[in-house]
Each structure stands twice: as structure tokens, then as C-alpha cells.
Amino acid sequence: MRNSHLPETDRMFEQMVALCEGMPKFVNLDVVRDEHLNKQLVDRVFREALMGGDLRVLDECCAADYIDHDAGREEPTAIGRDAMRSGVEAWSRAFDMTFEPVAQLSEGNLVTTVWNWRGTQKGEFMGVAATGKTYEMSGSTTFRCQDGEITEGWWHYNPGQLQRQMGGPGSPYGS
């Protein structure tokens, strides 16, 4: 009953009445805001695609013309869900990795997730051969969602910090 007086509830009620023959009966009906649905969409990408390795999820969750802004790419902006897929594949080839969400905020069509990342290096990455060592970094990702799809993403992290931890080329710690 706590949602009975929300404008969204009234609109939904009017739409349902228009579709029914007679007065419909509502039991335990809650209105789910777009922000909640957007967070579920983003959580699914992190959980199933990034950590679970199921890249088919990207086809279901990301728009075909997805725009990817990633600090770690040579070209900081790439277009198409295949751009995200290739990035995930590169990281997955190099690391057994996890993302631990620290905080998440959803407002309007934007969802920002602050995360801690941990990866054990199993393959070549940024010019560094597999070390078997575990590395950590933190960052954030903001996704723009529209009509049930992720249309744009901004990945903020420090790839130089990771490279220094790995002792890669240009690192003061050697290679």
C-alpha cells in the first residue's frame, strides 16, 4: 500500500483499467522504477559477463551501437558492443578476475558502480608475460541505460598503476 499514491501507480492503474473488462484486482503490486531496472541490468553485466565469462550477456544487455570510453584503450572511444566484448576478452585472457562492488548509485538513466578489482595474471597483458601474481586496483564505471539496454559506458581506473604493480615496461620496478 505504500506505493498507492505515487503518480506511477495511478498511471499504471489507469492503463490496466483501460485494458480490462471490468475493474481489475491488484494484490501486492509494487511499481519498479527505471533506476532499479537499470541497476539490475548493470549488475548482470558485472556478474555474468565480466566475472562469469558469459559474453552472450553483452548481446542481451548492450545496444548494438554501444559507445565505450575506456582509459586503458589506445583509442579511448570505441563504438559497438563488440568493442566491449573485445575488451572483456582481453582482460579475461590475461586474468582470473573479480569485481567487488563498493557502492552503486543510479539516477535517471545513469548507473555508476565503484568497484575493487582483483586479478591473478594467467596471460600476457600490457607487454608483461603471465606472472601468476595477483594484482588489485579500484575504479568506477558509469553506464547510460536506455530502453532496457546499456548504450554507453565510461570506465575510470588507472592502467598505469596496474602496469607499475606488474613491473611492466616503463615501470620503475623493472620487468
Side-chain angles (χ1 to χ4, degrees):
M1 293 301 291
R2 67 178 183 257
N3 291 330
S4 292
H5 302 291
L6 293 175
E8 297 95 331
T9 306
D10 291 340
R11 276 196 306 276
M12 179 186 257
F13 174 76
E14 290 169 6
Q15 291 171 351
M16 293 300 290
V17 169
L19 294 173
C20 297
E21 294 177 13
M23 185 59 69
K25 180 178 179 184
F26 296 93
V27 179
N28 295 329
L29 178 65
D30 280 334
V31 173
V32 179
R33 297 181 184 272
D34 286 343
E35 288 91 347
H36 179 73
L37 296 174
N38 292 342
K39 284 173 71 172
Q40 287 181 329
L41 180 67
V42 168
D43 288 344
R44 184 171 181 219
V45 168
F46 273 100
R47 186 180 59 255
E48 295 179 30
L50 300 179
M51 292 192 312
D54 185 357
L55 300 185
R56 295 172 299 185
V57 169
L58 299 178
D59 292 329
E60 298 171 22
C61 296
C62 296
D65 59 349
Y66 167 81
I67 303 168
D68 193 54
H69 308 278
D70 189 330
R73 290 184 181 269
E74 283 186 38
E75 296 294 325
T77 301
I79 307 293
R81 74 170 66 102
D82 286 339
M84 185 174 190
R85 183 186 330 282
S86 69
V88 172
E89 287 172 340
W91 283 87
S92 295
R93 278 192 304 272
F95 298 97
D96 287 326
M97 60 185 178
T98 61
F99 283 88
E100 175 194 350
V102 176
Q104 193 173 60
L105 176 66
S106 180
E107 185 171 332
N109 63 353
L110 298 175
V111 178
T112 298
T113 305
V114 177
W115 43 260
N116 289 326
W117 174 91
R118 172 178 272 207
T120 302
Q121 190 183 9
K122 64 182 182 179
E124 186 275 330
F125 190 75
M126 296 172 76
V128 177
T131 64
K133 295 180 182 176
T134 300
Y135 304 102
E136 297 180 6
M137 69 176 168
S138 59
S140 65
T141 304
T142 300
F143 283 123
R144 180 185 314 279
C145 303
Q146 183 176 343
D147 299 326
E149 292 183 315
I150 297 173
T151 59
E152 193 166 11
W154 293 266
W155 296 83
H156 301 280
Y157 58 98
N158 186 341
Q161 176 190 18
L162 178 60
Q163 190 172 24
R164 285 189 298 280
Q165 287 181 53
M166 295 168 63
S171 167
Y173 304 107
S175 53

